[in-house]
Structure formats: C-alpha cells, structure tokens
Amino acid sequence: MALRRVLIANRGEIAVRIVKACFDEGIESVLAVSQADQGSLGAQLADQVVVIGPAAAAESYLDVNRVVAAAQVTGCDALHPGYGFLSERPELAAACEEEGVVFVGPSSEAMRRSGDKATARALAKELEVPINEGSDVIDTEADARRVAAEIGYPVLLKAAAGGGGRGMRLVESEGEMAAAWAQAHGEAEAAFGDGRIFLERYVRSARHVEVQVLGDSRGNVVHLGTRDCTLQRRYQKLIEEAPAPDLSDALRTEIQDAAVRLIGALDYTGAATCEFLVDPDRGSAGFLEINARLQVEHPVSEIVTGVDVVREMLRIAGGEGLSVTQEEIKISGHAIEVRINAESPERDFAPTPGTLAVWVVPEGTEVRVDTACFPGWSVPPYYDSLLAKLIGFGPDRGAALARTRQALRHLRVEGVETTAGFALDLLAHPEVVAGSVHTKWVEETFLPEWSGESMTKGQK
C-alpha cells in the first residue's frame, strides 16, 4: 500500500530533504517541530506542521511518545525519523509498530540486531565477514587489560550501544587503561544508558570506508558502491566522497559483498550503511558497524548512481520492491560532500549561533547544496550546528575536487562563522588531493600547521 501522509520527525536540512522526496512521490508531508523551529524552511515547505514541544530536544525531538502521538493526531500513516535524534532508537520503531504507524526504516528487531555494535560484530563473525582484531563485550577493566595484552597496544575502547565517538577512547599503553576504561564506561552509560564496552586493535593509518545498502520486504538487497569518510575530527566526519578512492578491485568487491550479506541476514528494510576500517599497510578491511538509518552523506551515493535513496526508503516502507537491481546500478563519476557547520574553526570549532544576514549558495549543474538556511533565519543554539551539505561532482575525482573548491569560494555567509573556509583549505592540501590521509590526519597533521589565513569574510 503506497504511503499517503508521512510525519517527518526531524529538523534542518534533512527535514527539507525528506519533504522534497515526499513531494516527488506525491505523499503529503507533516513536519514535527519544536517551538524553536516553527519558522524553519522545513516548516514553510511541508504540507502541515505540528508543534511537539519546547526547544529542548529532550522534550521534543527525543521524546518517543510525543513524536508518535504527533503522527497519530495528524492522521499520518508513516513516520520518517531522518538521521540523529531517534533515528536509531528501536523504541521508536517498536512504538510505531504497536500503534499501527509505518516506520520508514527497519523493524525494531532488525534495528536492535544491527544497531548494537557488539551484536553486529558477532553477526559479522558468523557470516565470516572480516572484522578488526578485538573482543566481544568485556565486563571489567581487568578483562580489557588481558585482551589488550593479547592483541597489543594501541587499542580502542568502544561503547557497544554507541556512535559519534561517544564512549570511545584510544589507549596507547597499559598505564592509560584505568583512566580510559572509566571514561569510556561512564560516557557510554551517560549517553546511551548502556555502559557495555568492547575493544579493538587500533589501526594508526586507517581509512574509513562504508557501503550504502538498500533492502526491501521482498528479500532484495543492493549496494550503491563505496564512500570514503576518512577526513574526520574527533571521530566526526568532515568530508565524504564516493566512490572511495585507491581501493583495489578485489578489496572493493569484498567490502561491497560483505555489506550485502550483512544486511541480507537481518531481514532488513530501508537504507543502511555498513562501515569498514581499511588498513592500507595490510591491504585489508575489517567490519566496524551498521548504521540502521539514512546517513548524512547519502547524497554522494545518489549522485554517482542516480538512485534517490530517500525516495527508495519511502517506496519500500509503502510495500514496494526496490526500483533497481544490482545489475542496473552503475557507478559513474565522482562526488565530494563538505559539511558546513555554524562553528568557529579558529576557536576549537565552538558553535556560532546567530542570524544569517547573508546566505548565498552556488548551486549549479555540478554542485548540489542540501540546506535549510535562508537569509534572516536565526540559527538556534539548541541543536547540531550543521547548516548545509555542499556537494561537488564531476567525471573523475580531480574534477570533483576542483568543482567543490570553486563552489566553496563562491559561498557567501554573513551573520555567523562557518567551517567553509577551513574545508576549502583542507581540500586544497596536497595530501588530500593525493588521497594519502588517514582518520587521525586532520588532528595530527593538518590542524597543527593550519593558520586560517586564507579564510575570507565570505567563507566564514
């Protein structure tokens, strides 16, 4: 049964993105907003708006009962969670199932199995998908010391229920274990209500490569190729690209096939991303985790395949099969996405909320901008600082880099500081151009030498 009306339980650029996909599918959109977002672009574009609470996310976007009630009171037959907030909370999917609201995503059971890192790691082992050396869930600091001694330092402590770098600590030596264990366990408990920890070998020159996957209720699973998300700061992605460069054909195929096997084993419906850690020195990859939701960086996969991920999610939720087969999906060209945040790179990336006096984006035939910004909009201080995603693309990686840099130079923002100038400098660095970076490269190499001198007023 095709969907008729969808509640969008999110905000910012992803809310706008889903509203547009609903329009393209002929589906009515209802946007759930906090009091702080009543004048947002998403609220202006949606067919209907429902206020679900005050500005505080805990009393609005993070309240399962309010979100599901909003879908019911507005007569929605489905709910799309976007990314972040409640998007990977099995409780939301379960509440939708209980109340007869279609959840645009996996079932609560599939989300529990895929979203828990330790459980997903166990599934990968069962399917003989390569994983990084490490442990199952460990109960005590003493167990962590024992496993670390077996595989060798450095190691990473990781929250089983975590994401976004929370509950994660790098341990360089045995002497650091006590403090790292306490910090990782405490942060995991505070952030997720789940203090379970497991441990992995730390790969110093690692690359972060992921695969976009789609599955329908008829058992069909396809991948949309690879993405590279290596350029990060404090485990937060800064720039993403598709396809991932400098992978051997054999390793690329191994990663893509592994992602399809993992999602296929979960009876999974909707969009998912399987993440891998590539060790260039060994020429190998190890499975990291499954993101049971739409990813921020999905546009680069859409551009190089021509497959609209959000529209596929809506169709799948409505009971339709995938619109494409694996044989029909071809990777063409290259795309690079830059996250533009309202932050000050020169002040340790402190948030810079304020009112946008000027907002001019350079969209064109080879530049896509996903945003909820407009002149006069006040960037609120309560939520994530993402303003826009600027995506440049071209027939190859060099052309995509050049187009993205050109677009960043033509972006004009006044009223708040942004990370656009920082991103422009990052994309011009010879090691980024050459692709010879790793997940800690920004912090260890780029930031210590970066002065910010090339940042212009327009790019700030």
Side-chain angles (χ1 to χ4, degrees), residues 34-117:
S34 72
Q35 291 174 354
D37 282 331
Q38 292 181 80
S40 67
L41 182 60
Q44 296 177 54
L45 293 175
D47 293 304
Q48 187 178 343
V49 176
V50 55
V51 179
I52 57 172
E59 300 175 59
S60 53
Y61 297 112
L62 289 172
D63 190 313
V64 172
N65 293 330
R66 288 180 186 238
V67 166
V68 175
Q72 293 175 302
V73 76
T74 55
C76 290
D77 50 4
L79 183 153
H80 198 308
Y83 56 68
F85 290 137
L86 296 171
S87 62
E88 285 187 286
R89 289 274 295 277
E91 297 88 345
L92 177 60
C96 286
E97 291 161 4
E98 186 175 333
E99 298 299 335
V101 177
V102 175
F103 183 74
V104 184
S107 67
S108 58
E109 176 58 25
M111 186 177 288
R112 285 190 182 95
R113 293 184 65 198
S114 60
D116 185 279
K117 291 181 180 180

Side-chain angles (χ1 to χ4, degrees), residues 15 32 34 36 85 90 98 122 156 175 200 246 256 270 412:
S34 72
F85 290 137
E98 186 175 333
L156 272 178
E200 285 185 342
D246 300 323
Q256 292 170 166
R412 290 185 58 221

Side-chain angles (χ1 to χ4, degrees), residues 425-447:
D425 293 345
L426 193 58
L427 289 177
H429 196 284
E431 290 183 46
V432 173
V433 174
S436 55
V437 296
H438 53 81
T439 53
K440 301 293 284 185
W441 179 86
V442 171
E443 293 159 286
E444 294 177 357
T445 301
F446 184 76
L447 278 171

Side-chain angles (χ1 to χ4, degrees), residues 395-460:
D396 54 44
R397 186 170 185 267
L401 278 167
R403 184 62 74 199
T404 307
R405 290 194 298 262
Q406 180 194 34
L408 285 168
R409 284 192 292 269
H410 286 78
L411 176 70
R412 290 185 58 221
V413 184
E414 294 180 15
V416 302
E417 291 183 70
T418 80
T419 55
F422 172 81
L424 179 58
D425 293 345
L426 193 58
L427 289 177
H429 196 284
E431 290 183 46
V432 173
V433 174
S436 55
V437 296
H438 53 81
T439 53
K440 301 293 284 185
W441 179 86
V442 171
E443 293 159 286
E444 294 177 357
T445 301
F446 184 76
L447 278 171
E449 68 181 30
W450 180 72
S451 66
E453 291 178 358
S454 68
M455 294 177 66
T456 69
K457 181 179 179 182
Q459 288 153 354
K460 283 188 178 182

Side-chain angles (χ1 to χ4, degrees), residues 17-18 21 80 294 298 302 308-314:
R17 172 75 181 88
I18 300 169
H80 198 308
L294 185 66
H298 74 274
E302 293 183 324
D308 189 312
V309 174
V310 183
R311 293 181 71 178
E312 289 290 331
M313 293 180 75
L314 294 168

Side-chain angles (χ1 to χ4, degrees), residues 19 71 102 196 223 291 301 316 320 349-350 384 433 437 440:
V19 167
V102 175
R196 290 175 304 138
H223 70 78
N291 293 123
S301 296
I316 291 166
E320 297 182 40
F349 295 83
D384 183 88
V433 174
V437 296
K440 301 293 284 185

